[in-house]
Amino acid sequence: MSEPTGKPATDEQTSAQAPEGQQQGAQTQNETEQAVQQEAPQDEISVLKAALENAHHEVEKSKEVYLRLAADMENLRRRTQEDVAKAHKYAIESFAESLVPVRDSLEMALAVENQTPEALKDGVAATLRQLEAAFERGKVVVLNPVGEKFNPNQHQAVAMVPGDSVEPAVAPNHVVAVLQKGYLINDRVLRPALVSVAQ
């Protein structure tokens, strides 16, 4: 029997004293840890490469969507410009179309010789009705503000008269008479009405 020396056993002595199965288990564990340590960076690199590839793919998709949207916006802008240009160019087309029969009526009235005053008056009245229909289609409204309160946005005063000088009497700052009718087109003053106003 050997006597204990009091010194701790070294790894070699421990491994020499350990059974053979335990030694193989420790060796296998060390090899596994080394393999895992070597594989870990490889796995990280693979994951990062895959993420980078996905990011490149997403960027390409986003770029394609952006280019498509930019092209659509450019087409929309161009079409809108064309529509606005056409609207400016042909805005009066509908109104002009409704005035053509008025001109036809006036030309026919002048072409007839030896007209009676009654026939001429009837023809003028019919032409006026055509003109009024054209104004209505073109949203042209006549301003004939007799008795209404004076509106400087739609009326132009050319004279001030005493309100009690007319029958029936007119309240102050109201229209007494219309010297020339005014016109609105879509609520915008085309021509103000020339009026005389009560003092």
Side-chain angles (χ1 to χ4, degrees):
M1 266 180 83
S2 63
E3 295 180 16
T5 58
K7 293 181 183 174
T10 61
D11 288 341
E12 291 176 5
Q13 291 171 339
T14 306
S15 62
Q17 293 172 359
E20 190 175 318
Q22 287 180 351
Q23 287 178 358
Q24 285 179 348
Q27 186 177 10
T28 305
Q29 186 178 358
N30 287 342
E31 288 172 0
T32 304
E33 286 175 3
Q34 287 175 353
V36 167
Q37 287 173 357
Q38 287 175 353
E39 286 177 15
Q42 291 299 324
D43 286 346
E44 264 185 58
I45 290 171
S46 298
V47 168
L48 290 174
K49 280 184 179 177
L52 184 61
E53 197 171 313
N54 283 342
H56 280 302
H57 183 64
E58 290 297 319
V59 166
E60 286 301 317
K61 276 173 48 179
S62 298
K63 186 176 177 183
E64 187 177 323
V65 168
Y66 167 76
L67 290 174
R68 191 175 298 125
L69 286 173
D72 288 346
M73 288 302 294
E74 180 60 27
N75 289 339
L76 179 62
R77 185 189 63 74
R78 186 178 43 75
R79 280 195 304 269
T80 304
Q81 280 183 335
E82 288 173 3
D83 290 346
V84 168
K86 284 179 184 175
H88 284 304
K89 189 173 181 181
Y90 300 111
I92 198 166
E93 181 179 12
S94 172
F95 187 62
E97 186 179 338
S98 59
L99 287 179
V100 169
V102 176
R103 180 186 171 110
D104 292 343
S105 295
L106 291 171
E107 286 177 346
M108 285 190 290
L110 291 174
V112 176
E113 294 184 18
N114 302 324
Q115 279 193 18
T116 64
E118 291 79 19
L120 186 60
K121 186 176 179 181
D122 290 344
V124 170
T127 304
L128 181 60
R129 284 194 298 275
Q130 284 181 320
L131 186 60
E132 286 170 347
F135 276 15
E136 190 175 323
R137 278 195 297 276
K139 307 247 186 312
V140 178
V141 178
V142 177
L143 287 175
N144 190 14
V146 175
E148 294 179 12
K149 186 170 179 161
F150 177 74
N151 180 350
N153 296 321
Q154 296 181 349
H155 312 145
Q156 182 177 344
V158 293
M160 297 287 288
V161 297
D164 55 4
S165 66
V166 292
E167 282 295 325
V170 177
N173 205 27
H174 279 64
V175 175
V176 173
V178 176
L179 308 174
Q180 185 181 66
K181 293 177 183 175
Y183 294 93
L184 295 175
I185 183 164
N186 286 325
D187 298 325
R188 180 185 288 182
V189 176
L190 190 60
R191 182 179 81 184
L194 298 180
V195 298
S196 57
V197 182
Q199 291 177 326

